């Protein structure tokens, strides 16, 4: 049975050729023109990569600072003590703690979107792997969330740092802005994200790495993107 879609979603797709492949700039324009929700929709990019993440040498992950931010209010939690805890608070962290924060998380209280820890806190934070890991919140030095430079990490998270990690099907996706952003800002963010994913190409990836790319908004249509337009100046 076909999935029923709302009138709003149907209207956003009206008259579109679903098979057409758009340049990035064209796609951004179409999404913004067709955005009809009563809220500021998130624009999301999905990239289908030629990797099998079941193999360690084909894992793709990293972090990118979007030049124009994400447009969303990111709640940041920091595991730190003493001076580092004060540094985190001064930088704008929403939640700062140590053993007390571990207890909160173990009790199911996870009121944050991003988690950062100082290196000395990792033996403690390691106990939360089964809780934070599946949610993609476990601090990791590879993406800059285990660091002694707490202030910089908090500011990056608040300002538009986006983590990415390839899923089982070989897909990487992320929110890259809002439909209220102007076209140039959105295109810049998408290109910055694509550039980071391309640079994160693993040693084990063979053949065509960047296979398919699509751009969509929360209530809008999914548009296929010419991969060559992602690297255009």
């Amino acid at each position: 049975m076909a999935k029923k879609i709302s009138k709003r979603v149907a209207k956003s797709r009206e008259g579109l050729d679903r098979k057409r492949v758009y340049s990035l700039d064209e796609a951004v324009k179409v999404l913004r023109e067709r955005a009809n929700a009563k809220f500021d929709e998130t624009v999301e990019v999905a990239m289908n990569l030629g990797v099998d993440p079941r193999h360690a040498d084909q894992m793709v992950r990293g972090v990118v600072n979007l030049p124009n931010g994400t447009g969303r209010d990111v709640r940041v939690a920091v595991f730190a003590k003493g001076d580092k805890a004060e540094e985190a608070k001064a930088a704008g962290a929403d939640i700062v703690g140590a053993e007390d924060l571990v207890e909160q998380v173990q009790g199911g209280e996870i009121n944050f979107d991003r988690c950062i820890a100082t290196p000395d806190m990792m033996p403690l934070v390691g106990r939360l792997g089964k809780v934070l890991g599946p949610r993609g919140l476990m601090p990791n030095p590879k993406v800059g969330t285990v660091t002694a430079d707490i202030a910089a990490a908090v500011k990056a998270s608040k300002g538009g740092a986006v983590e990415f990690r390839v899923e089982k099907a070989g897909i990487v996706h992320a929110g890259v802005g809002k439909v209220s952003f102007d076209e140039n800002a959105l295109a810049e963010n998408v290109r910055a994200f694509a550039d980071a994913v391309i640079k994160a190409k693993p040693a084990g990836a063979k053949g065509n790495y960047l296979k398919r790319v699509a751009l969509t908004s929360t209530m809008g249509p999914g548009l296929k993107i010419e991969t060559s337009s992602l690297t255009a100046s």
Side-chain angles (χ1 to χ4, degrees):
M1 190 170 71
K3 187 179 178 182
K4 191 175 181 181
I5 60 173
S6 70
K7 290 180 181 178
R8 199 181 292 276
V9 172
K11 188 175 181 181
S12 75
R13 297 176 179 177
E14 208 170 79
L16 276 181
D17 178 359
R18 303 300 296 277
K19 294 180 180 179
R20 182 180 167 187
V21 180
Y22 294 80
S23 72
L24 174 59
D25 294 334
E26 287 175 324
V28 166
K29 190 172 190 290
V30 169
L31 283 183
R32 290 185 77 252
E33 286 174 347
R34 289 174 175 261
N36 57 20
K38 293 179 180 178
F39 60 92
D40 195 4
E41 298 176 51
T42 295
V43 175
E44 185 168 290
V45 63
M47 305 173 75
N48 192 295
L49 307 177
V51 297
D52 183 350
R54 291 176 298 180
H55 301 290
D57 66 345
Q58 293 188 47
M59 174 53 68
V60 179
R61 73 177 303 175
V63 64
V64 56
N65 287 306
L66 299 181
N68 302 295
T70 61
R72 63 186 284 249
D73 182 23
V74 179
R75 289 183 58 79
V76 177
V78 176
F79 288 91
K81 289 182 176 179
D83 290 345
K84 291 297 179 184
E86 294 307 313
E87 194 179 312
K89 291 173 186 174
D94 299 279
I95 304 166
V96 181
E99 287 84 359
D100 56 332
L101 185 50
V102 169
E103 285 181 19
Q104 281 181 34
V105 172
Q106 284 176 330
E109 200 176 323
I110 303 174
N111 301 320
F112 50 86
D113 310 299
R114 196 164 166 87
C115 187
I116 299 166
T118 53
D120 61 298
M121 292 299 295
M122 285 311 292
L124 195 63
V125 179
R127 300 177 199 167
L128 302 174
K130 289 182 179 178
V131 182
L132 297 179
R135 292 173 171 82
L137 292 171
M138 191 66 184
N140 188 305
K142 290 181 180 177
V143 293
T145 48
V146 176
T147 176
D149 194 349
I150 287 295
V154 170
K155 286 172 183 174
S157 295
K158 287 283 191 181
V162 172
E163 281 187 50
F164 58 87
R165 180 173 181 155
V166 69
E167 297 172 355
K168 287 180 183 177
I171 295 170
V172 168
H173 64 88
V176 289
K178 299 285 186 178
V179 292
S180 60
F181 286 19
D182 70 39
E183 291 171 20
N184 287 337
L186 275 173
E188 279 179 11
N189 276 3
V190 174
R191 288 190 173 107
F193 182 80
D195 185 55
V197 172
I198 291 167
K199 285 178 178 173
K201 181 179 179 179
K206 306 296 181 189
N208 185 15
Y209 176 58
L210 192 56
K211 294 168 77 174
R212 289 183 298 278
V213 179
L215 199 67
T216 188
S217 61
T218 310
M219 304 293 287
L223 305 176
K224 297 174 184 175
I225 307 296
E226 293 170 1
T227 56
S228 60
S229 70
L230 294 173
T231 52
S233 56

